[in-house]
PDB file of all heavy atoms in Angstrom:
ATOM      1  N   LEU A 146      92.703 107.904  86.685  1.00  0.00           N
ATOM      2  CA  LEU A 146      93.720 107.314  87.483  1.00  0.00           C
ATOM      3  C   LEU A 146      94.258 108.328  88.630  1.00  0.00           C
ATOM      4  O   LEU A 146      95.176 107.952  89.323  1.00  0.00           O
ATOM      5  CB  LEU A 146      94.919 107.016  86.633  1.00  0.00           C
ATOM      6  CG  LEU A 146      94.650 106.004  85.456  1.00  0.00           C
ATOM      7  CD1 LEU A 146      95.869 105.777  84.581  1.00  0.00           C
ATOM      8  CD2 LEU A 146      94.065 104.749  85.946  1.00  0.00           C
ATOM      9  N   ASP A 147      93.650 109.465  88.842  1.00  0.00           N
ATOM     10  CA  ASP A 147      94.095 110.365  89.790  1.00  0.00           C
ATOM     11  C   ASP A 147      93.431 110.220  91.130  1.00  0.00           C
ATOM     12  O   ASP A 147      93.483 111.108  92.027  1.00  0.00           O
ATOM     13  CB  ASP A 147      93.895 111.759  89.250  1.00  0.00           C
ATOM     14  CG  ASP A 147      92.395 112.108  88.973  1.00  0.00           C
ATOM     15  OD1 ASP A 147      91.587 111.172  89.089  1.00  0.00           O
ATOM     16  OD2 ASP A 147      92.124 113.303  88.629  1.00  0.00           O
ATOM     17  N   TRP A 148      92.786 108.965  91.428  1.00  0.00           N
ATOM     18  CA  TRP A 148      92.245 108.695  92.712  1.00  0.00           C
ATOM     19  C   TRP A 148      93.279 108.515  93.713  1.00  0.00           C
ATOM     20  O   TRP A 148      94.523 108.177  93.385  1.00  0.00           O
ATOM     21  CB  TRP A 148      91.341 107.514  92.655  1.00  0.00           C
ATOM     22  CG  TRP A 148      92.060 106.210  92.106  1.00  0.00           C
ATOM     23  CD1 TRP A 148      92.167 105.891  90.814  1.00  0.00           C
ATOM     24  CD2 TRP A 148      92.682 105.167  92.854  1.00  0.00           C
ATOM     25  NE1 TRP A 148      92.766 104.685  90.668  1.00  0.00           N
ATOM     26  CE2 TRP A 148      93.179 104.227  91.949  1.00  0.00           C
ATOM     27  CE3 TRP A 148      92.953 105.074  94.227  1.00  0.00           C
ATOM     28  CZ2 TRP A 148      93.858 103.173  92.315  1.00  0.00           C
ATOM     29  CZ3 TRP A 148      93.642 103.954  94.587  1.00  0.00           C
ATOM     30  CH2 TRP A 148      94.155 102.986  93.729  1.00  0.00           C
ATOM     31  N   SER A 149      93.056 108.845  94.906  1.00  0.00           N
ATOM     32  CA  SER A 149      94.125 108.660  95.991  1.00  0.00           C
ATOM     33  C   SER A 149      93.563 107.760  97.081  1.00  0.00           C
ATOM     34  O   SER A 149      92.434 107.558  97.301  1.00  0.00           O
ATOM     35  CB  SER A 149      94.448 110.092  96.515  1.00  0.00           C
ATOM     36  OG  SER A 149      93.350 110.637  97.084  1.00  0.00           O
ATOM     37  N   TYR A 150      94.611 107.179  97.746  1.00  0.00           N
ATOM     38  CA  TYR A 150      94.238 106.309  98.883  1.00  0.00           C
ATOM     39  C   TYR A 150      95.320 106.545 100.000  1.00  0.00           C
ATOM     40  O   TYR A 150      96.448 106.961  99.666  1.00  0.00           O
ATOM     41  CB  TYR A 150      94.216 104.848  98.421  1.00  0.00           C
ATOM     42  CG  TYR A 150      93.504 103.883  99.377  1.00  0.00           C
ATOM     43  CD1 TYR A 150      92.168 104.012  99.555  1.00  0.00           C
ATOM     44  CD2 TYR A 150      94.213 102.950 100.098  1.00  0.00           C
ATOM     45  CE1 TYR A 150      91.586 103.191 100.438  1.00  0.00           C
ATOM     46  CE2 TYR A 150      93.620 102.134 100.984  1.00  0.00           C
ATOM     47  CZ  TYR A 150      92.271 102.273 101.239  1.00  0.00           C
ATOM     48  OH  TYR A 150      91.626 101.487 102.121  1.00  0.00           O
ATOM     49  N   GLY A 151      94.977 106.189 101.162  1.00  0.00           N
ATOM     50  CA  GLY A 151      95.909 106.536 102.342  1.00  0.00           C
ATOM     51  C   GLY A 151      97.018 105.608 102.419  1.00  0.00           C
ATOM     52  O   GLY A 151      97.921 105.855 103.202  1.00  0.00           O
ATOM     53  N   SER A 152      97.063 104.490 101.720  1.00  0.00           N
ATOM     54  CA  SER A 152      98.075 103.473 101.873  1.00  0.00           C
ATOM     55  C   SER A 152      98.797 103.253 100.611  1.00  0.00           C
ATOM     56  O   SER A 152      98.147 102.967  99.511  1.00  0.00           O
ATOM     57  CB  SER A 152      97.515 102.082 102.382  1.00  0.00           C
ATOM     58  OG  SER A 152      98.491 101.149 102.326  1.00  0.00           O
ATOM     59  N   SER A 153     100.101 103.346 100.496  1.00  0.00           N
ATOM     60  CA  SER A 153     100.923 103.143  99.275  1.00  0.00           C
ATOM     61  C   SER A 153     100.646 101.711  98.841  1.00  0.00           C
ATOM     62  O   SER A 153     100.661 101.405  97.575  1.00  0.00           O
ATOM     63  CB  SER A 153     102.252 103.386  99.416  1.00  0.00           C
ATOM     64  OG  SER A 153     102.571 104.824  99.835  1.00  0.00           O
ATOM     65  N   GLY A 154     100.682 100.680  99.727  1.00  0.00           N
ATOM     66  CA  GLY A 154     100.581  99.390  99.347  1.00  0.00           C
ATOM     67  C   GLY A 154      99.315  98.948  98.746  1.00  0.00           C
ATOM     68  O   GLY A 154      99.197  97.853  98.105  1.00  0.00           O
ATOM     69  N   GLN A 155      98.221  99.792  98.802  1.00  0.00           N
ATOM     70  CA  GLN A 155      97.040  99.411  98.183  1.00  0.00           C
ATOM     71  C   GLN A 155      96.656 100.353  97.029  1.00  0.00           C
ATOM     72  O   GLN A 155      95.566 100.457  96.581  1.00  0.00           O
ATOM     73  CB  GLN A 155      95.841  99.514  99.210  1.00  0.00           C
ATOM     74  CG  GLN A 155      95.745  98.240  99.981  1.00  0.00           C
ATOM     75  CD  GLN A 155      96.852  98.152 100.982  1.00  0.00           C
ATOM     76  OE1 GLN A 155      97.224  99.043 101.733  1.00  0.00           O
ATOM     77  NE2 GLN A 155      97.497  96.961 101.159  1.00  0.00           N
ATOM     78  N   THR A 156      97.654 101.151  96.566  1.00  0.00           N
ATOM     79  CA  THR A 156      97.462 102.121  95.514  1.00  0.00           C
ATOM     80  C   THR A 156      98.124 101.588  94.232  1.00  0.00           C
ATOM     81  O   THR A 156      99.326 101.546  94.021  1.00  0.00           O
ATOM     82  CB  THR A 156      98.016 103.483  95.861  1.00  0.00           C
ATOM     83  OG1 THR A 156      97.532 104.042  97.045  1.00  0.00           O
ATOM     84  CG2 THR A 156      97.790 104.561  94.765  1.00  0.00           C
ATOM     85  N   TYR A 157      97.168 101.146  93.294  1.00  0.00           N
ATOM     86  CA  TYR A 157      97.635 100.619  92.018  1.00  0.00           C
ATOM     87  C   TYR A 157      97.022 101.322  90.904  1.00  0.00           C
ATOM     88  O   TYR A 157      95.965 100.863  90.381  1.00  0.00           O
ATOM     89  CB  TYR A 157      97.102  99.125  91.949  1.00  0.00           C
ATOM     90  CG  TYR A 157      97.699  98.091  93.022  1.00  0.00           C
ATOM     91  CD1 TYR A 157      97.000  98.015  94.284  1.00  0.00           C
ATOM     92  CD2 TYR A 157      98.763  97.344  92.831  1.00  0.00           C
ATOM     93  CE1 TYR A 157      97.449  97.165  95.231  1.00  0.00           C
ATOM     94  CE2 TYR A 157      99.189  96.415  93.716  1.00  0.00           C
ATOM     95  CZ  TYR A 157      98.513  96.399  94.960  1.00  0.00           C
ATOM     96  OH  TYR A 157      99.008  95.481  95.934  1.00  0.00           O
ATOM     97  N   LYS A 158      97.689 102.335  90.474  1.00  0.00           N
ATOM     98  CA  LYS A 158      97.215 103.052  89.299  1.00  0.00           C
ATOM     99  C   LYS A 158      97.512 102.194  87.985  1.00  0.00           C
ATOM    100  O   LYS A 158      96.747 102.081  87.156  1.00  0.00           O
ATOM    101  CB  LYS A 158      97.938 104.363  89.104  1.00  0.00           C
ATOM    102  CG  LYS A 158      97.847 105.324  90.319  1.00  0.00           C
ATOM    103  CD  LYS A 158      96.444 105.688  90.756  1.00  0.00           C
ATOM    104  CE  LYS A 158      96.411 106.567  91.922  1.00  0.00           C
ATOM    105  NZ  LYS A 158      96.838 107.925  91.795  1.00  0.00           N
ATOM    106  N   VAL A 159      98.743 101.591  88.036  1.00  0.00           N
ATOM    107  CA  VAL A 159      99.090 100.523  87.034  1.00  0.00           C
ATOM    108  C   VAL A 159      99.231  99.294  87.862  1.00  0.00           C
ATOM    109  O   VAL A 159     100.194  99.240  88.744  1.00  0.00           O
ATOM    110  CB  VAL A 159     100.417 100.923  86.321  1.00  0.00           C
ATOM    111  CG1 VAL A 159     100.696  99.763  85.287  1.00  0.00           C
ATOM    112  CG2 VAL A 159     100.192 102.261  85.542  1.00  0.00           C
ATOM    113  N   LYS A 160      98.464  98.236  87.638  1.00  0.00           N
ATOM    114  CA  LYS A 160      98.395  97.116  88.604  1.00  0.00           C
ATOM    115  C   LYS A 160      99.199  95.939  88.186  1.00  0.00           C
ATOM    116  O   LYS A 160      99.877  95.374  88.943  1.00  0.00           O
ATOM    117  CB  LYS A 160      96.894  96.695  88.880  1.00  0.00           C
ATOM    118  CG  LYS A 160      96.804  95.664  89.924  1.00  0.00           C
ATOM    119  CD  LYS A 160      95.278  95.521  90.211  1.00  0.00           C
ATOM    120  CE  LYS A 160      95.083  94.628  91.485  1.00  0.00           C
ATOM    121  NZ  LYS A 160      93.603  94.557  91.781  1.00  0.00           N
ATOM    122  N   SER A 161      99.204  95.760  86.848  1.00  0.00           N
ATOM    123  CA  SER A 161      99.952  94.441  86.405  1.00  0.00           C
ATOM    124  C   SER A 161     100.240  94.627  84.978  1.00  0.00           C
ATOM    125  O   SER A 161      99.702  95.558  84.225  1.00  0.00           O
ATOM    126  CB  SER A 161      99.046  93.225  86.699  1.00  0.00           C
ATOM    127  OG  SER A 161      99.876  92.090  86.625  1.00  0.00           O
ATOM    128  N   MET A 162     101.031  93.610  84.379  1.00  0.00           N
ATOM    129  CA  MET A 162     101.496  93.656  82.994  1.00  0.00           C
ATOM    130  C   MET A 162     101.884  92.284  82.569  1.00  0.00           C
ATOM    131  O   MET A 162     102.328  91.461  83.336  1.00  0.00           O
ATOM    132  CB  MET A 162     102.592  94.632  82.879  1.00  0.00           C
ATOM    133  CG  MET A 162     102.904  95.072  81.492  1.00  0.00           C
ATOM    134  SD  MET A 162     104.141  96.457  81.526  1.00  0.00           S
ATOM    135  CE  MET A 162     104.284  96.676  79.755  1.00  0.00           C
ATOM    136  N   SER A 163     101.699  92.079  81.265  1.00  0.00           N
ATOM    137  CA  SER A 163     101.983  90.648  80.775  1.00  0.00           C
ATOM    138  C   SER A 163     102.278  90.735  79.314  1.00  0.00           C
ATOM    139  O   SER A 163     102.036  91.685  78.598  1.00  0.00           O
ATOM    140  CB  SER A 163     100.741  89.743  81.103  1.00  0.00           C
ATOM    141  OG  SER A 163     100.905  88.594  80.350  1.00  0.00           O
ATOM    142  N   GLN A 164     102.926  89.701  78.814  1.00  0.00           N
ATOM    143  CA  GLN A 164     103.031  89.532  77.344  1.00  0.00           C
ATOM    144  C   GLN A 164     101.614  89.444  76.715  1.00  0.00           C
ATOM    145  O   GLN A 164     100.670  88.875  77.335  1.00  0.00           O
ATOM    146  CB  GLN A 164     103.794  88.189  77.084  1.00  0.00           C
ATOM    147  CG  GLN A 164     103.983  87.940  75.597  1.00  0.00           C
ATOM    148  CD  GLN A 164     105.021  88.909  74.992  1.00  0.00           C
ATOM    149  OE1 GLN A 164     106.091  89.104  75.522  1.00  0.00           O
ATOM    150  NE2 GLN A 164     104.616  89.470  73.890  1.00  0.00           N
ATOM    151  N   GLY A 165     101.420  89.974  75.513  1.00  0.00           N
ATOM    152  CA  GLY A 165     100.116  89.885  74.867  1.00  0.00           C
ATOM    153  C   GLY A 165     100.015  88.754  73.923  1.00  0.00           C
ATOM    154  O   GLY A 165     100.710  87.639  74.164  1.00  0.00           O
ATOM    155  N   THR A 166      99.189  88.801  72.875  1.00  0.00           N
ATOM    156  CA  THR A 166      98.891  87.759  72.028  1.00  0.00           C
ATOM    157  C   THR A 166      99.983  87.527  70.969  1.00  0.00           C
ATOM    158  O   THR A 166      99.871  86.521  70.156  1.00  0.00           O
ATOM    159  CB  THR A 166      97.511  87.961  71.408  1.00  0.00           C
ATOM    160  OG1 THR A 166      97.610  89.157  70.566  1.00  0.00           O
ATOM    161  CG2 THR A 166      96.426  88.035  72.421  1.00  0.00           C
ATOM    162  N   SER A 167     100.950  88.417  70.879  1.00  0.00           N
ATOM    163  CA  SER A 167     102.029  88.257  69.890  1.00  0.00           C
ATOM    164  C   SER A 167     103.174  88.942  70.527  1.00  0.00           C
ATOM    165  O   SER A 167     103.164  89.552  71.530  1.00  0.00           O
ATOM    166  CB  SER A 167     101.723  89.008  68.542  1.00  0.00           C
ATOM    167  OG  SER A 167     101.452  90.388  68.733  1.00  0.00           O
ATOM    168  N   SER A 168     104.402  88.810  69.867  1.00  0.00           N
ATOM    169  CA  SER A 168     105.669  89.215  70.374  1.00  0.00           C
ATOM    170  C   SER A 168     105.785  90.775  70.517  1.00  0.00           C
ATOM    171  O   SER A 168     106.527  91.340  71.236  1.00  0.00           O
ATOM    172  CB  SER A 168     106.863  88.728  69.560  1.00  0.00           C
ATOM    173  OG  SER A 168     106.754  89.159  68.219  1.00  0.00           O
ATOM    174  N   ASP A 169     104.939  91.419  69.716  1.00  0.00           N
ATOM    175  CA  ASP A 169     104.948  92.907  69.675  1.00  0.00           C
ATOM    176  C   ASP A 169     103.766  93.476  70.397  1.00  0.00           C
ATOM    177  O   ASP A 169     103.384  94.651  70.222  1.00  0.00           O
ATOM    178  CB  ASP A 169     105.020  93.495  68.289  1.00  0.00           C
ATOM    179  CG  ASP A 169     103.811  93.221  67.476  1.00  0.00           C
ATOM    180  OD1 ASP A 169     103.034  92.281  67.881  1.00  0.00           O
ATOM    181  OD2 ASP A 169     103.683  93.729  66.318  1.00  0.00           O
ATOM    182  N   GLU A 170     103.124  92.741  71.304  1.00  0.00           N
ATOM    183  CA  GLU A 170     101.941  93.222  72.065  1.00  0.00           C
ATOM    184  C   GLU A 170     102.146  92.953  73.529  1.00  0.00           C
ATOM    185  O   GLU A 170     102.686  91.840  73.921  1.00  0.00           O
ATOM    186  CB  GLU A 170     100.677  92.466  71.601  1.00  0.00           C
ATOM    187  CG  GLU A 170      99.382  92.877  72.238  1.00  0.00           C
ATOM    188  CD  GLU A 170      98.228  92.166  71.661  1.00  0.00           C
ATOM    189  OE1 GLU A 170      97.632  92.618  70.719  1.00  0.00           O
ATOM    190  OE2 GLU A 170      97.897  91.142  72.303  1.00  0.00           O
ATOM    191  N   VAL A 171     101.798  93.868  74.352  1.00  0.00           N
ATOM    192  CA  VAL A 171     101.752  93.755  75.861  1.00  0.00           C
ATOM    193  C   VAL A 171     100.398  94.012  76.366  1.00  0.00           C
ATOM    194  O   VAL A 171      99.640  94.739  75.720  1.00  0.00           O
ATOM    195  CB  VAL A 171     102.863  94.595  76.522  1.00  0.00           C
ATOM    196  CG1 VAL A 171     104.278  94.166  76.050  1.00  0.00           C
ATOM    197  CG2 VAL A 171     102.629  96.077  76.245  1.00  0.00           C
ATOM    198  N   ILE A 172     100.071  93.502  77.520  1.00  0.00           N
ATOM    199  CA  ILE A 172      98.839  93.824  78.227  1.00  0.00           C
ATOM    200  C   ILE A 172      99.217  94.552  79.475  1.00  0.00           C
ATOM    201  O   ILE A 172     100.071  94.216  80.220  1.00  0.00           O
ATOM    202  CB  ILE A 172      98.122  92.423  78.559  1.00  0.00           C
ATOM    203  CG1 ILE A 172      97.584  91.778  77.256  1.00  0.00           C
ATOM    204  CG2 ILE A 172      96.798  92.703  79.473  1.00  0.00           C
ATOM    205  CD1 ILE A 172      97.155  90.380  77.433  1.00  0.00           C
TER     206      ILE A 172
END
Side-chain angles (χ1 to χ4, degrees):
L146 303 180
D147 59 355
W148 54 273
S149 60
Y150 196 70
S152 170
S153 298
Q155 279 72 46
T156 304
Y157 297 87
K158 309 298 180 68
V159 180
K160 190 169 188 177
S161 196
M162 195 171 177
S163 171
Q164 182 70 51
T166 60
S167 61
S168 60
D169 63 347
E170 182 181 273
V171 297
I172 293 170

